[in-house]
Each structure stands twice: as structure tokens, then as C-alpha cells.
Amino acid sequence: MNADLGSDRLLAPDKLEAELRAIGAVRYHHLHPFHKLLHAGKLTRAQVQAWALNRYYYQAMIPIKDAHALVRLPTSELRREWRRRIIDHDGDGPGKGGIERWLKLAEGVGLDRTYVQSTEGILPGTRFAVEAYVNFVRDRPILEGIASSLTEMFSPDIIADRVRGMLAGYSFITEETLAYFTPRLTQAPQDVDFALGYVKQHATTRADQEAVLAALRFKCDVLWAQLDALHFAYVEPGLIPPGAFVPEGK
Amino acid sequence: MNADLGSDRLLAPDKLEAELRAIGAVRYHHLHPFHKLLHAGKLTRAQVQAWALNRYYYQAMIPIKDAHALVRLPTSELRREWRRRIIDHDGDGPGKGGIERWLKLAEGVGLDRTYVQSTEGILPGTRFAVEAYVNFVRDRPILEGIASSLTEMFSPDIIADRVRGMLAGYSFITEETLAYFTPRLTQAPQDVDFALGYVKQHATTRADQEAVLAALRFKCDVLWAQLDALHFAYVEPGLIPPGAFVPEGK
């Protein structure tokens, strides 16, 4: 629990930012054992496939989540700013954008594109967590929707770590396979500049600020629960739920 | 995948029922290792607490789920039938009903009632799975909503097994603690009679029948994913996500 809960004093914007960063320090999924294994080159190709397959669903739903945010943004200026995120993921033509690059990553680790796109083999835990995120942005005030995007504050570090670790640790991973991540290193900070500025400016009551902090905790849970499901099914104890992806030779 | 997929021939109602039962035989959560441990008396009191705490959220949301179903039922007759489920869970006065009995179970295994009711310590995986169920009934046609209740076809067996196993296996469990389950043994078959009859009568196209089967698969996933999250956090590997219930002495 937040030690400041119960207080009704408004936090200075920089103090709010510090509280947001403190949440990331203890709840962001760079701390999850699955990521530690992934980045240390300790997973099998089958386990990396399971990660790519499940994470695809998250990537594929991001523009839907962002379209729900567009619905709630009141001005052209705000919608233009947010629209960039949709363009980043959907691209500006066939074969472009983040979702397409994720499909290339999935193919690069040996998965069939059509199977990945069907999302047939993803874990129920993945599906429920991702849909919780989409529904959150659909159903909550836009201040909370924007705040829930702020896990991107913590992503450049994990991406740099991941790319370095995966290239070093897995013979079946090439720079081309990981091309998804390169533009994210510049897109994420740009997105964060806007979103962090927005919540610092628009959270004008202590209740708003608490809602912003809760939204970021929620989003950390969404990311963490996806790795819990992966780790449970494919690492330890390795119990794949009925109907989910079974790697070859398993 | 169902071997009949791709066929567009309508199944006879009894064949539809057989297909529904076949789904339960391979996807219902009586097969989950967590339940096997629970019923065999192999869990610690702390692990049973984690189960009671998390399952409370499922119990508490059932009347909300059923209220969404009421919204979509077109006649007084159908709504009266379905209303019984809400009465079963909410009771007909203070201190009565299934949710109250679940709270007594949670207290019986040593949890604080207010803490349980707060749902503060539940796993994100529990929250996301339960909310996926509520949203499913809210958002889908009522035929699918009713079909998703049909996991109750399989519950009397698991309940009998659970009560017998838990009374034998745990010194801290009494018949009174497990009083939640006794009325379920008569309520569930009554509910199933109606729901199964409804889907057999109203699924009048092959597409409807496939939707009914998919709804039951979805609901099995909802139950299974809750046990995955519990097993992962509290049994093996035993990695409790940030913010979730930490048993005493852990």
C-alpha cells in the first residue's frame, strides 16, 4: 500500500512522477523471473516461441486499446497526438508497423504466421489479462487510460537489456528478428513525454492522483500476469492448459 | 479442435449434450493439479487460505454476472428462473446466501472477513479471469451466456470429492466450514436442468451450437486459469506477484 494513502494533500507534479517511478521499480515486469530467463539466454527455442506467440496478442490489441482512448479524447490536438500510437502499431501501409514486425519476430523463432494471427494457441491467462487492459481504457476516465500507458516509462531499459541478452544468448535470434524493438526505443520516450505531462497537468485532486497511481499499478499487473501464465505453462511447473500451444516435441 | 467443425449439419439435441459433456471431461478444473492437491489434503493451511481468498472474488461476482444475464432475458418466466441464482448467492436476508457462506469458509480457514471482502490481496490472474466471465455474459448473446453456466453440469462430482477429501485431509477444516457446498449439491442440478434444456432447445443452427460449445470451453478456461494463477503463486514455483496476499510466516 502507498504510505501516503489516507492523506488528502495534493502531490506536487514532480512528486507524483516520483511515485509513478517508484511503482515501476517494484512492480514492472523487468523483475519477473521469466524475463530474467529470457534475457539471460536460459530459455529453449520452444519457450521463446511461447513468449512470442502469447505476446503477439498483446501487440495486436494495442491499437484497439488506443482506439478506445481516441473515443474519449475531446480535441483534434489530443487525438492527433494519440493517433500516432495507432500508426506506430498498424503502420502506414501493408507490411509495416509494430504488429507486422512482431509477426516477423514470431516467424523468426519458427512459428507459422497464420497460426500466430489466429491467436488460437494463446494462454487463457494472456487473453484475460490483455482484455482487462482493453476494457480498462474503454471503461475508465481518459486520465486513467492515459496513466495506464505509463509502463512505457520503464520500457527502454528492458528493451536494451532484452535485445543485448537475446542476441548473445540464442543462436536462432538475429538482429532482423528483433527489429520490432528498434523503433520502440524512440517511440516510447516520445509517447511518455506526452502521457506523463498529461497526467501531471490533469490530475488536479488527490483522488485523481490516487487513480493515476492505481492505473499504473493495474497496468503492471496486466504485464506481470502475462508472464506468470507463460512461466507456469512453459517453464515451471510446465503445465500447459488444455487447448493452448504445445511446442513440437513436447 | 472439435472433429465436427467444418461440418454444417445441425447436431441432434442429445448429441449437443454429449459434446458439452465431452468438453467437461477434458477441460473442467477437476483435472487441475491444484484441485488434486487440495482434495488430497496435500496443501498447507496457507495455501488453502490463498484458495479461499481468491475464490471469494469469483463467488462475489456471480450475482453481478447473473444480473447481466437478467438484463438480456426477455420474459418474466425466464427472469424468475434465473433470479433464483441471484437469491442463492445473495440470500434472502442478512447472514444468508452463498457469498456469506463463502465468507464463513474463509474465516474458518483463518482469514479476516474484512480483508477477504476488500479483495485487495487477490491475484491479478484471478481478477482478470473473473472479469472476463462477467464481461462475457454482459456482452454476448444470452444463449452463450446461459451456455457458459454449464460447467455446473460437472460440479456435483467435484464438490462431493472436495468435501470428503478436505474433511479427511485437513485438521483445520470442519463440516461447518464447508457449509457453502451443501446447498450447491441441490442448486447446481436444478440450474443445469434449466440451462441445458434452454441451450438444447434454442441452439437451432449449427453456428449457434458451435457458439454454445465455445462458450463452455471459454468458461472452463476461466476456471482453469484461476487455478493456474493460484498454483503458480502459492505452490510451484511459488512466486507471489507484487501486492498479492502473502500468508503469515512467508
Side-chain angles (χ1 to χ4, degrees):
Chain A
M1 300 301 295
N2 187 320
D4 285 323
L5 266 181
S7 160
D8 56 2
R9 281 181 50 199
L10 191 68
L11 302 172
D14 286 351
K15 177 78 169 102
L16 177 62
E17 179 175 339
E19 295 266 334
L20 289 164
R21 292 194 185 279
I23 289 171
V26 295
R27 294 178 88 127
Y28 188 57
H29 63 174
H30 68 299
L31 297 169
H32 197 285
F34 189 91
H35 269 163
K36 291 186 178 170
L37 295 171
L38 176 69
H39 302 165
K42 299 250 172 84
L43 298 181
T44 64
R45 185 158 172 270
Q47 290 166 329
V48 175
Q49 286 180 337
W51 168 73
L53 175 75
N54 278 274
R55 169 79 180 244
Y56 171 77
Y57 185 61
Y58 177 75
Q59 299 299 336
M61 292 301 279
I62 290 295
I64 311 302
K65 181 273 292 181
D66 285 323
H68 282 302
L70 276 192
V71 164
R72 291 182 168 264
L73 286 165
T75 69
S76 288
E77 188 188 354
L78 289 167
R79 287 193 297 272
R80 278 196 304 269
E81 167 62 36
W82 209 265
R83 194 178 64 201
R84 194 161 34 76
R85 295 171 179 249
I86 301 183
I87 297 169
D88 287 345
H89 276 80
D90 284 337
D92 53 10
K96 295 186 176 178
I99 296 175
E100 179 61 32
R101 281 195 301 277
W102 196 272
L103 283 167
K104 294 215 174 81
L105 185 155
E107 291 180 307
V109 301
L111 293 168
D112 176 71
R113 162 181 292 251
T114 310
Y115 177 71
V116 175
Q117 286 177 309
S118 77
T119 76
E120 251 176 40
I122 68 169
L123 296 163
T126 302
R127 192 176 296 282
F128 301 151
V130 170
E131 290 178 2
Y133 184 32
V134 175
N135 293 339
F136 183 92
V137 176
R138 182 189 66 190
D139 298 337
R140 302 291 188 119
I142 189 63
L143 177 66
E144 294 176 45
I146 290 177
S148 69
S149 77
L150 286 174
T151 43
E152 286 185 297
M153 288 198 285
F154 321 121
S155 75
D157 283 353
I158 201 178
I159 287 177
D161 206 38
R162 177 178 301 154
V163 171
R164 195 168 42 236
M166 289 182 76
L167 286 174
Y170 304 109
S171 59
F172 55 92
I173 296 274
T174 64
E175 280 195 52
E176 200 189 357
T177 312
L178 298 183
Y180 171 81
F181 295 108
T182 314
R184 294 306 304 155
L185 290 169
T186 47
Q187 288 164 353
Q190 191 181 5
D191 291 346
V192 166
D193 280 349
F194 170 77
L196 186 57
Y198 184 95
V199 303
K200 285 163 79 172
Q201 185 187 344
H202 289 82
T204 54
T205 67
R206 180 57 188 248
D208 282 348
Q209 293 184 326
E210 291 300 337
V212 160
L213 295 167
L216 183 60
R217 267 185 229 110
F218 160 79
K219 173 65 177 304
C220 287
D221 286 351
V222 165
L223 297 175
W224 193 279
Q226 291 177 67
L227 295 183
D228 278 2
L230 266 177
H231 198 110
F232 179 81
Y234 297 106
V235 181
E236 186 189 4
L239 293 165
I240 301 172
F245 170 64
V246 178
E248 276 176 55
K250 178 110 196 187
Chain B
M1 298 301 296
N2 187 318
D4 285 323
L5 265 181
S7 159
D8 55 1
R9 282 181 50 200
L10 192 67
L11 302 173
D14 286 351
K15 177 79 169 100
L16 177 62
E17 179 175 340
E19 295 267 335
L20 289 163
R21 293 193 185 279
I23 289 171
V26 294
R27 294 179 87 127
Y28 188 57
H29 62 175
H30 68 299
L31 297 169
H32 197 285
F34 188 91
H35 269 164
K36 292 187 178 170
L37 295 171
L38 177 69
H39 302 166
K42 298 249 170 85
L43 298 181
T44 64
R45 185 159 172 270
Q47 290 167 329
V48 176
Q49 286 180 338
W51 168 74
L53 175 74
N54 278 273
R55 169 80 181 242
Y56 170 78
Y57 185 60
Y58 177 76
Q59 298 299 337
M61 292 301 280
I62 290 295
I64 310 301
K65 182 273 292 182
D66 285 322
H68 282 301
L70 275 191
V71 165
R72 291 181 168 265
L73 286 165
T75 70
S76 287
E77 189 186 354
L78 289 167
R79 286 192 297 271
R80 276 197 305 271
E81 168 60 39
W82 209 264
R83 193 177 65 201
R84 193 161 34 75
R85 294 171 180 249
I86 300 182
I87 297 169
D88 287 344
H89 276 81
D90 283 336
D92 53 9
K96 294 186 176 177
I99 296 175
E100 178 62 31
R101 282 195 302 278
W102 197 271
L103 282 167
K104 294 217 173 80
L105 184 155
E107 290 179 308
V109 300
L111 293 168
D112 176 72
R113 161 181 291 251
T114 311
Y115 176 71
V116 175
Q117 287 177 308
S118 77
T119 75
E120 250 175 43
I122 67 169
L123 296 163
T126 303
R127 191 176 298 280
F128 300 152
V130 170
E131 290 178 3
Y133 184 33
V134 175
N135 293 339
F136 184 92
V137 177
R138 182 190 66 188
D139 298 337
R140 302 289 188 120
I142 188 64
L143 177 65
E144 294 175 46
I146 290 177
S148 70
S149 77
L150 286 174
T151 43
E152 286 184 298
M153 289 198 283
F154 320 121
S155 76
D157 283 352
I158 200 178
I159 287 176
D161 206 40
R162 177 178 299 153
V163 169
R164 194 168 44 236
M166 289 183 75
L167 286 173
Y170 303 109
S171 58
F172 56 91
I173 296 275
T174 65
E175 281 196 52
E176 200 189 358
T177 311
L178 299 183
Y180 170 81
F181 296 108
T182 314
R184 294 305 304 154
L185 290 168
T186 47
Q187 289 164 354
Q190 192 181 6
D191 291 346
V192 166
D193 279 350
F194 169 77
L196 187 57
Y198 184 95
V199 303
K200 286 163 79 172
Q201 186 187 343
H202 288 82
T204 53
T205 67
R206 180 58 188 246
D208 282 349
Q209 293 183 327
E210 291 300 337
V212 160
L213 295 167
L216 183 60
R217 268 185 229 110
F218 160 79
K219 173 66 176 302
C220 286
D221 286 350
V222 165
L223 298 175
W224 193 278
Q226 289 177 67
L227 296 182
D228 279 1
L230 266 177
H231 198 110
F232 179 81
Y234 297 105
V235 180
E236 188 190 4
L239 292 165
I240 302 172
F245 171 63
V246 178
E248 276 177 54
K250 181 119 191 175

